[in-house]
Amino acid sequence: MSGSFAGMKRRMPDVLGAMGAWWDRVPQYGRYLIYVVLIIGAFLLPSGSIGSFMTPESDWPSVLFYPIGVYVLLAIGLNVVVGQAGLLDLGYVAFFAIGSYALAIFATNHGWNFWESLPVGIIIAAAAGAILGTPTLRLRGDYLAIVTLGFGEIIRITANNLDFTGGPRGISPIPHPPSVPDAHIGDVKILRYGVIDARPYYYLLLVVIIVVIIVVKRLEHSRVGRSWAAIREDEDAAELMGVPTLKFKIVAFVIGAAIGGSAGVLFAAQTTSITPVNFPFILSALILCAVVLGGSGNLLGVVLGAFVVAWLPERFRGFEEYRVLTFGAALVIMMIIRPEGLLPSRQRRAELAEGTGGMGSLGGEVGAVSAQNVELDGSVNGRAGVLAGSDDREAGA
């Protein structure tokens, strides 16, 4: 079976790989033009003609907001933690839940509107990230994954057992964002937030995603981003070189948590009712799957991966009881064909070629077979392999 997949992979044209190589050659001004075209395309996505193909059995604008848009925003936040800083977080849904409950509690108990609750929800989620990260980010790999997984479950179970969070019944009714009924573009009232038309929520979410992408890209090319990359590649070496690793890991955790909290506030404002059932562990797993599938560390790839992970189950809704099976099979096939992700970054492709996963110590433990053989060979051959590997890296640099 594996041989047939390998043969199929060899025969298939590597379209995404060619696109990635082409993208690497595009000059900076060309990239900005493509970004503008993509943003315009994103604003045109709710068109009914597109929806009839994308989700023939569901309301396309509603699917565009949730799960697609919310997954994209969550994946961008988790990519900061996993893809850029190399910290494996399995409890990311906790920050999504904290943002949702922050809006629900302040809006229903204190009468705050959406715009007053949005920054508070983001700040509370960021503070939760700092509180969790400060004592736990000294852990690495599997141990950090277990701690974060436990944090996600603690938040869900706590919400299920407290009175002010509504217990199992949750909180409702959560108010929509304030509307401006007269504002419209064509036949779309872009600022009229109600229960019928999901397009205004999608446009609001799209604006937030664009702002977050700009901020994250600026961070990626700053000293903070370079420190995250150093920690991801080799935390011990980064610390020896003078990088305050714990400080930058907490910064990554806080920024990721803040983005997750913003997604939670938007989600609660659109659904008007939340319960602990909305925040299961499987949501954290799906967002992590989106990051890895799209190309961990590459923002464009992560957005594509989140779109695919959120859209495929809706597209397969016609398969009924075989829907999840078909979705899982599609993910397995995609990962066999593109193990480095749909659109991996150049740096991650190089890391995979060298035998490291680019995800901290966890990635280092699952390196390529060729790289593992270098360490397992006898002393003479092993030494030759190490020297050959060093020469190759120097030539690549």
Side-chain angles (χ1 to χ4, degrees):
M1 180 65 73
S2 60
S4 61
F5 272 120
M8 182 178 69
K9 182 181 174 182
R10 282 195 298 271
R11 289 191 296 272
M12 288 181 62
D14 188 6
V15 178
L16 291 174
M19 286 177 59
W22 170 78
W23 178 255
D24 292 340
R25 296 192 300 271
V26 175
Q28 195 65 29
Y29 70 90
R31 294 190 179 196
Y32 283 123
L33 286 175
I34 294 171
Y35 291 146
V36 171
V37 172
L38 289 177
I39 291 172
I40 294 173
F43 275 97
L44 296 176
L45 265 184
S47 167
S49 57
I50 300 174
S52 60
F53 167 76
M54 298 297 285
T55 55
E57 300 188 31
S58 304
D59 179 51
W60 174 235
S62 298
V63 172
L64 268 180
F65 175 81
Y66 187 87
I68 292 177
V70 172
Y71 277 27
V72 168
L73 185 54
L74 288 173
I76 293 170
L78 188 59
N79 183 54
V80 173
V81 180
V82 175
Q84 297 190 31
L87 308 170
L88 187 57
D89 183 357
L90 293 182
Y92 192 63
V93 69
F95 307 116
F96 181 56
I98 289 171
S100 296
Y101 274 103
L103 170 65
I105 292 170
F106 283 104
T108 56
N109 293 346
H110 305 287
W112 291 20
N113 68 31
F114 172 81
W115 296 111
E116 292 168 336
S117 303
L118 177 63
V120 175
I122 293 172
I123 291 170
I124 293 176
I131 292 170
L132 172 66
T134 302
T136 61
L137 286 177
R138 299 179 193 279
L139 302 173
R140 300 181 187 180
D142 303 356
Y143 303 102
L144 178 61
I146 292 169
V147 170
T148 53
L149 187 155
F151 178 69
E153 286 299 286
I154 287 170
I155 294 296
R156 185 182 62 80
I157 294 171
T158 302
N160 200 47
N161 289 278
L162 290 180
D163 291 334
F164 75 95
T165 58
R169 292 174 301 172
I171 300 176
S172 64
I174 303 168
H176 295 295
S179 295
V180 182
D182 296 333
H184 62 88
I185 297 178
D187 63 338
V188 183
K189 295 183 177 179
I190 59 172
L191 296 178
R192 184 170 184 172
Y193 302 99
V195 296
I196 298 176
D197 191 356
R199 287 177 293 183
Y201 298 99
Y202 168 70
Y203 292 131
L204 176 61
L205 179 58
L206 190 58
V207 171
V208 173
I209 289 173
I210 292 170
V211 172
V212 169
I213 287 176
I214 293 171
V215 172
V216 170
K217 286 300 287 183
R218 298 291 296 175
L219 281 172
E220 184 180 342
H221 297 293
S222 69
R223 176 171 173 263
V224 176
R226 291 192 293 274
S227 299
W228 287 339
I231 293 169
R232 183 188 64 208
E233 297 310 306
D234 192 328
E235 185 174 341
D236 294 328
E239 193 152 8
L240 286 172
M241 294 299 291
V243 176
T245 54
L246 180 62
K247 170 186 166 185
F248 283 109
K249 287 198 292 185
I250 293 174
V251 169
F253 225 67
V254 168
I255 291 173
I259 296 172
S262 67
V265 173
L266 291 162
F267 170 75
Q270 196 268 343
T271 58
T272 71
S273 175
I274 58 171
T275 68
V277 177
N278 296 126
F279 311 105
F281 162 72
I282 189 64
L283 186 55
S284 291
L286 281 174
I287 302 304
L288 181 61
C289 174
V291 172
V292 176
L293 175 69
S296 178
N298 183 17
L299 205 50
L300 191 60
V302 166
V303 171
L304 177 62
F307 184 94
V308 170
V309 168
W311 169 63
L312 281 184
E314 296 299 328
R315 188 65 183 84
F316 294 153
R317 195 168 280 279
F319 290 91
E320 298 179 351
E321 64 265 32
Y322 300 107
R323 173 188 174 210
V324 177
L325 176 65
T326 311
F327 171 58
L331 291 184
V332 170
I333 292 171
M334 280 191 285
M335 289 310 298
I336 289 174
I337 296 173
R338 300 284 299 176
E340 68 275 23
L342 297 176
L343 287 176
S345 65
R346 279 180 298 179
Q347 189 171 4
R348 180 155 170 74
R349 266 180 291 182
E351 290 165 357
L352 287 166
E354 288 185 354
T356 60
M359 293 173 62
S361 58
L362 185 69
E365 292 166 6
V366 292
V369 174
S370 58
Q372 294 170 14
N373 286 342
V374 170
E375 296 180 0
L376 294 174
D377 285 346
S379 57
V380 176
N381 293 336
R383 178 62 178 162
V386 170
L387 291 175
S390 303
D391 292 343
D392 290 342
R393 283 192 291 276
E394 289 171 6

